[in-house]
């Protein structure tokens, strides 16, 4: 009953309403993203005008992540994560608010999400990696993005 709470009948009706909104959203989005994969570049080289390389597919619980070959119009920066569709020759770089750490403890992969800034360091949290639920470092790319967003808000 945080912040005063609601009674059980109101909670049940809100749950039904929220589930309907979720189902409506799923119908609207449909399968629009099913052909896209979250990838992290591994190796690339220029071959006959195309960048051919290997990427890690950040899907599932594979340890290590499965590697697949791709052919793209431009190289990818291995410091970033991308969305990629095998039917296209480019990939969409994601902003540095998600981190995938491989072999953080042993052979496990761990996914972390940006949480906050603390003592001039970016804090990322994992909801599934209990051995180290928070990582606090100076992720300069994340801090630069946050600074850029802050500056654009002040200008608006």
């Amino acid at each position: 009953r945080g912040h005063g709470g609601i009674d059980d009948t109101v909670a049940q009706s809100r749950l039904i309403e929220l589930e309907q909104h979720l189902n409506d959203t799923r119908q609207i989005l449909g399968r629009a993203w099913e052909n896209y994969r979250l990838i992290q570049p591994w190796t690339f080289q220029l071959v006959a005008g195309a960048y051919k390389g290997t990427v890690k597919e950040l899907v599932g619980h594979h340890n290590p992540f499965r590697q697949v070959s791709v052919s793209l119009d431009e190289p990818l920066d291995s410091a970033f994560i991308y969305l990629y569709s095998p039917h296209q020759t480019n990939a969409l770089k994601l902003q540095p608010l998600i981190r995938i750490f491989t072999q953080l403890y042993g052979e496990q992969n761990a996914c972390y999400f940006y949480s906050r800034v603390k003592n001039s360091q970016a804090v990322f949290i994992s909801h599934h990696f209990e051995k180290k639920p928070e990582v606090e470092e100076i992720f300069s790319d994340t801090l630069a993005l946050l600074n850029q967003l802050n500056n654009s808000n002040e200008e608006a």
Side-chain angles (χ1 to χ4, degrees):
R1 292 195 174 269
H3 304 288
I6 56 175
D7 65 43
D8 289 342
T9 56
V10 173
Q12 185 62 33
S13 67
R14 286 190 184 169
L15 175 62
I16 292 168
E17 183 180 348
L18 289 172
E19 285 176 339
Q20 184 58 49
H21 287 309
L22 179 60
N23 288 331
D24 292 345
T25 302
R26 286 178 176 156
Q27 286 181 345
I28 292 168
L29 294 176
R31 300 183 179 273
W33 294 99
E34 82 176 350
N35 290 325
Y36 285 85
R37 300 289 181 259
L38 197 59
I39 62 169
Q40 187 171 37
W42 189 247
T43 61
F44 273 91
Q45 70 182 86
L46 183 60
V47 178
Y51 288 91
K52 300 198 183 282
T54 304
V55 298
K56 294 179 184 179
E57 264 191 346
L58 306 179
V59 178
H61 60 282
H62 304 287
N63 268 328
F65 286 119
R66 191 174 74 142
Q67 293 185 13
V68 296
S69 297
V70 298
S71 180
L72 301 172
D73 291 338
E74 57 188 37
L76 303 181
D77 185 336
S78 62
F80 292 92
I81 297 170
Y82 296 80
L83 277 177
Y84 167 73
S85 172
H87 308 295
Q88 297 182 355
T89 58
N90 59 3
L92 177 66
K93 180 172 79 172
L94 299 181
Q95 294 299 329
L97 300 174
I98 300 172
R99 302 278 175 180
I100 305 293
F101 295 108
T102 55
Q103 300 177 348
L104 191 62
Y105 282 101
E107 292 295 316
Q108 286 187 299
N109 300 315
C111 181
Y112 285 79
F113 301 92
Y114 169 75
S115 174
R116 65 192 178 281
V117 174
K118 178 181 169 187
N119 300 326
S120 300
Q121 294 187 323
V123 178
F124 282 75
I125 60 170
S126 174
H127 300 288
H128 302 286
F129 198 67
E130 295 175 6
K131 290 182 183 177
K132 188 167 178 70
E134 285 192 357
V135 172
E136 187 177 320
E137 288 185 29
I138 299 177
F139 293 107
S140 56
D141 54 350
T142 301
L143 295 175
L145 170 66
L146 295 172
N147 190 40
Q148 181 182 3
L149 291 172
N150 189 37
N151 289 340
S152 66
N153 283 341
E154 290 174 0
E155 292 172 5

